[in-house]
Amino acid sequence: SSDLERECMEEICNYEEARECFENDQLTKQFWATYPHNGKGGATAYSPKVDVAALVAGLTGAILLLIMVAVVIMYCVKYRAKEQRRRVPVTLTSTISPEGVPLTVLPGQEPSAPGLPSYEEALEASGTYDAPPPPYNRDSVRTTEPS
């Protein structure tokens, strides 16, 4: 009994240690069925009903998630307010109605980009980078043997 008190009541013991104390399989099974640390959650007064560690971990995770969601919402609200401050309302003060503006080039007009040469003019023009590359000199290449 003193072995049982020392092995399983003051400390947590496993089934083999309890079996050594009782030296009887039937008594060991009866004890193990009511032992609070038997892995089955034995029904005793000092076995916890709620897993405190899991509860704390879950609550901590939920609080962190709420904080992250709040930060993202605040960022979105500030970004939207900043974008609306940047926008300048556009007012049309023109006397031309949108139906009167042509969407295509009228016949007889040549579309041209201002200041750019045509393809033919660009091919004929000479510039700084039109020179051929310098000649390749075979004698200037050093040959080193691997060491």
Side-chain angles (χ1 to χ4, degrees):
S1 176
S2 65
D3 288 339
L4 177 67
E5 193 67 33
R6 183 170 33 95
E7 290 287 337
C8 296
M9 298 303 172
E10 292 175 4
E11 300 174 3
I12 297 174
C13 68
N14 61 20
Y15 186 81
E16 285 301 317
E17 291 171 342
R19 190 167 159 259
E20 288 175 7
C21 292
F22 285 106
E23 297 178 355
N24 182 341
D25 286 338
Q26 190 62 27
L27 290 175
T28 305
K29 287 180 184 178
Q30 288 175 355
F31 167 76
W32 196 252
T34 60
Y35 185 59
H37 305 288
N38 63 4
K40 299 176 186 173
T44 61
Y46 55 88
S47 64
K49 302 288 183 212
V50 176
D51 187 4
V52 178
L55 184 64
V56 168
L59 288 175
T60 304
I63 289 171
L64 286 176
L65 182 66
L66 286 174
I67 289 171
M68 289 185 335
V69 166
V71 166
V72 168
I73 289 173
M74 280 184 6
Y75 175 77
C76 291
V77 167
K78 285 185 176 185
Y79 180 77
R80 182 170 287 170
K82 185 173 145 183
E83 284 296 314
Q84 287 185 0
R85 273 187 265 132
R86 251 193 237 172
R87 289 189 186 155
V88 177
V90 178
T91 58
L92 294 176
T93 58
S94 175
T95 58
I96 301 173
S97 67
E99 291 82 20
V101 177
L103 298 177
T104 61
V105 178
L106 297 175
Q109 290 181 340
E110 288 290 324
S112 63
L116 294 177
S118 68
Y119 181 72
E120 289 80 16
E121 291 172 344
L123 286 178
E124 292 173 3
S126 63
T128 310
Y129 303 105
D130 290 341
Y136 178 69
N137 189 353
R138 289 184 177 263
D139 296 335
S140 67
V141 177
R142 291 189 305 179
T143 57
T144 58
E145 295 181 16
S147 47

